Amino acid sequence: NSEAARRITEVEGKKPIIAYITQENTVLETLGRFGRMFFPKSANGAPFNMKEFCRVAANSGRNPIDAMMGKFDEYLAMVPSDIEFIVIPKSAGSISTEYFKQLYDELDNMGYRLIVLAHDYIKTIKSKDSSIHEPRFLYEAISEEMKVFAKDKNVCLISAFQLNRKYAGRKNDAAKNKMLKDAAGTQQQAVRAFTPDPNKNLARQL
């Protein structure tokens, strides 16, 4: 909340920030999901439709991503916050969990304190241990690496993990239960490379 954010700013001299790493979806798909959350109704009262929004933007000569970020700017101007928000697109399989620390350090050097890190799908990221290939052990390793990072940096880390139906249907499986517990604690194309600019509003940067 704002009070906690102000304490971080006052005590640490850092600006609190929430980062969302998307590897499962395209940038437009991710923005579309945000759009349905923030803008449930369009101007004519119909449900928000990302395809229609992109069509209108393209017909008016605007880049759909820039148009969508402009819409978010308008929204954020009405709801000022002490916490920044950033979306980082990465191709599936392009990073390992080591990237979390790299991102944390980069933001820290720029004057930001990462407080929440959201990652859209655990199967799209790699483990630091490239020798693990068997899926069950691989996802267990990734979950453990996520937990270690979150605890070490005092960051709330959120990700999603879906077991296949065959495995999820097994009863009283200790390994399955451990994976479910670990996961609970913890075809995307990157349209453009991302380099944070501390002089700009990070909420609109990709």
Side-chain angles (χ1 to χ4, degrees):
N1 56 36
S2 294
E3 182 179 348
R6 284 193 291 271
R7 283 202 299 270
I8 292 175
T9 301
E10 293 171 0
V11 175
E12 300 185 29
K14 303 283 186 179
K15 176 80 171 181
I17 188 169
I18 296 171
Y20 175 58
I21 300 174
T22 175
Q23 291 191 270
E24 185 184 17
N25 306 300
T26 64
V27 171
L28 282 176
E29 286 172 336
T30 297
L31 292 179
R33 290 183 177 184
F34 286 149
R36 288 190 291 275
M37 287 188 291
F38 291 114
F39 320 119
K41 298 291 183 180
S42 62
N44 61 7
F48 179 82
N49 186 307
M50 188 62 182
K51 289 184 178 180
E52 178 64 13
F53 181 88
C54 291
R55 185 189 67 78
V56 172
N59 287 343
S60 63
R62 300 182 66 192
N63 179 293
I65 293 178
D66 291 338
M68 192 65 185
M69 295 312 295
K71 189 173 179 66
F72 280 123
D73 275 349
E74 295 173 3
Y75 174 81
L76 292 171
M78 296 186 293
V79 285
S81 172
D82 295 308
I83 302 174
E84 289 280 6
F85 177 69
I86 191 171
V87 178
I88 305 172
K90 292 288 183 181
S91 299
S94 65
I95 58 172
S96 74
T97 54
E98 289 181 303
Y99 177 74
F100 295 158
K101 183 179 184 302
Q102 177 187 334
L103 176 64
Y104 182 94
D105 291 341
E106 288 177 354
L107 292 173
D108 184 68
N109 291 334
M110 293 169 58
Y112 295 96
R113 170 65 65 236
L114 182 63
I115 56 174
V116 177
L117 177 58
H119 176 263
D120 57 7
Y121 197 36
I122 198 172
K123 286 188 175 183
T124 59
I125 197 167
K126 297 186 296 187
S127 167
K128 293 188 294 185
D129 188 346
S130 60
S131 68
I132 305 175
H133 301 291
E134 205 282 323
R136 181 167 66 87
F137 296 116
L138 176 62
Y139 303 137
E140 184 175 358
I142 292 172
S143 288
E144 187 63 28
E145 291 163 12
M146 287 181 167
K147 288 195 298 182
V148 169
F149 166 80
K151 184 176 181 180
D152 181 53
K153 298 298 184 182
N154 193 29
V155 171
C156 175
L157 197 158
I158 305 167
S159 189
F161 180 58
Q162 181 179 3
L163 295 169
N164 65 56
R165 290 186 176 87
K166 179 180 178 181
Y167 189 74
R170 289 159 60 180
K171 304 295 184 180
N172 302 318
D173 189 308
K176 182 198 74 172
N177 293 335
K178 184 178 188 304
M179 289 177 67
L180 286 169
K181 180 180 179 181
D182 289 348
T186 60
Q187 288 112 37
Q188 190 271 331
Q189 299 175 357
V191 173
R192 63 182 74 170
F194 174 74
T195 302
D197 184 345
N199 298 314
K200 296 181 180 180
N201 181 354
L202 286 182
R204 65 167 283 105
Q205 292 189 66
L206 288 175

